[in-house]
Amino acid sequence: MTDTPDSVFRASAWRTLDLEQQAIAALGAQLDADFDRACQLMLDCNGRVVVTGMGKSGHIAGKIAATLASTGTPAFFVHPGEASHGDLGMITRGDVVLALSNSGETSEVTALLPLLKRMGTPLISMTGRPGSTLARHADAHLNAAVAREACPLDLAPTASTTAALALGDALAVALLEARGFTAEEFALSHPGGSLGRRLLLKVGDLMHQGSRLPQVPLGSPLRDALLEITRQGLGFTCVVDEQGLLAGVYTDGDLRRTLDQYADLRSLKVDEVMTRPGKRIGAEVLAAEAVRVMEDNRITALAVVDDQGRPVGALHMHDLLTSGVI
């Protein structure tokens, strides 16, 4: 098939994207005091936000529940059909229910209304019809109405589901900001992801310590420092004074400079050619901060010291790479 600028496929895609952009843009004008009410109900909730919806709205409801849960608002999805056959027991008086239905008349969802009212569970509805049954019986109604679906038949849920998804994101972000939710808290619910590794891992979790900590005392022959670097394989060694404090470091880069300046290395002491005081970092510092220090100083390893300045570990760029921090 010839790929032409006026491809009917791309023309259809542009039309779809334009209609969905219009649907999202219209949401701003539809926000009212009920949005504030919905947010406050969720903030005041002592239980969880139970999100429900049928069909395509159910898929959107599941995503909204997942987004809420990962941004500081405990939430889960309940299928409305299953709720009428036992799963309603998952909903308690301390919860808030967020129900999605574009028509606001979905029978599986509206069937829950008497039960929720009897329990006294607050209900937030998200529909495309403010006058619908679900909207009228809700404590707060979120208007997700769209002018038309992107589907040329104006039947398949397309623009309406996109609008509902965007409105759900708006809810989640508004709650996130109201709670003062932090990146560290976000990472706690995503410990297996790269973000979690970047935000949660500390230098102390990755550093080499004990017998794997390269160090030699002040006054050591340069030969001993080179042997220690080779033995530990981290590209540097700490140099400690009589009190065990870090006096400096000797690195592979220092060795290249030493070779440029001295013809005979046999009589050299490490004190004469080491870098003072040497870059260092604390064990409780986030590993992501160690990456920044290394990149800013164009180095590949760091001495890890305690509050007194005693070496307690060594961190190499390779450790940050293998752990997924970089």
Side-chain angles (χ1 to χ4, degrees), residues 72 124 132 140 164 221 258 302:
I124 302 167
S132 63
T258 302
L302 280 170

Side-chain angles (χ1 to χ4, degrees), residues 242-307:
E242 294 179 355
Q243 287 74 43
L245 303 178
L246 182 66
V249 297
Y250 192 75
T251 70
D252 288 341
D254 291 324
L255 174 59
R256 288 190 290 273
R257 286 185 287 274
T258 302
L259 291 171
D260 285 339
Q261 296 172 20
Y262 298 89
D264 185 3
L265 308 184
R266 290 173 296 179
S267 62
L268 285 176
K269 303 291 185 184
V270 70
D271 316 38
E272 302 173 61
V273 288
M274 71 181 185
T275 297
R276 297 175 183 266
K279 295 298 176 183
R280 57 194 71 195
I281 200 165
E284 292 302 309
V285 174
L286 291 175
E289 174 67 11
V291 175
R292 185 193 64 77
V293 172
M294 289 185 189
E295 290 177 341
D296 288 351
N297 292 280
R298 298 184 179 181
I299 56 178
T300 58
L302 280 170
V304 185
V305 298
D306 62 16
D307 293 340

